[in-house]
Structures are given as structure tokens and as C-alpha cells.
Amino acid sequence: MEDPSLKFQMIVQNEARLDRDRALVAFMRARIAERAEAADKHEHLLLVGVQRVLDAFDAQFEHAAQAQRADGVPEYADALGWSLRCTAFAAFSGHPDFRMDFKP
């Protein structure tokens, strides 16, 4: 029989991760929109690439969180989220809206 307190802890951790990822998506969309206005050709191409990763992550992360794998192997959405947190940290960690739980 599964320990109820362990199950509750896993639910709380999963919800915290979902909250972080929702905030990360909003944060990255806002930063991309800000930078797009002043971006040169090369930065624009970079922003388009980040936007593609962000769109793929946004389409999958909530579903992936509900379908946790028993074998512990990271899902595709987990890898995308990690790469976006790395990007957010590298490019925008000095921004006042950057949250420390965005750090990879």
C-alpha cells in the first residue's frame, strides 16, 4: 500500500513544477516580445528558434506532468523545459521578473 503522505508530497511537488513551468512560459514569451522589437537579423533568428522550443514545450508540459513515467526517464517536455530554463538563466537572469526557480 502506498504511503498517503508520500503521495501527497508528490502531488504538491508536481503542482509546484507546473506553476513554475506556466510562469516560465509567460516570462519567456514576454522577454521574446521585448527583444523582438529591437532585434537585428541574427538575434531575430535566435528568438525564432527559442520561440519554437517554447511553443513545443507549452503544448506538452502539462500533459507530460500528468503522465509521469514510472521508469524515471525524462520525457521530451522535461528536456525542453530544462533547455528553456538554461536559456532563461543565461539570457534573462538579471531581469527583475526572473524567478530563482527558473534556474536549471
Side-chain angles (χ1 to χ4, degrees), residues 46-100:
L46 178 63
L47 292 173
V48 167
V50 173
Q51 183 69 51
R52 286 182 186 156
V53 174
L54 182 61
D55 290 342
F57 177 69
D58 192 19
Q60 297 182 22
F61 80 91
E62 294 210 34
H63 174 71
Q66 300 307 321
Q68 295 176 2
R69 291 180 58 149
D71 61 7
V73 176
E75 292 282 339
Y76 179 65
D78 292 336
L80 291 176
W82 183 82
S83 70
L84 285 171
R85 289 191 306 278
C86 288
T87 301
F89 182 70
F92 304 115
S93 60
H95 193 279
D97 293 337
F98 182 82
R99 292 176 24 178
M100 292 312 290

Side-chain angles (χ1 to χ4, degrees), residues 26-38:
F27 176 80
M28 290 298 289
R29 288 199 190 284
R31 301 301 70 79
I32 289 170
E34 286 173 1
R35 292 300 313 150
E37 295 174 11

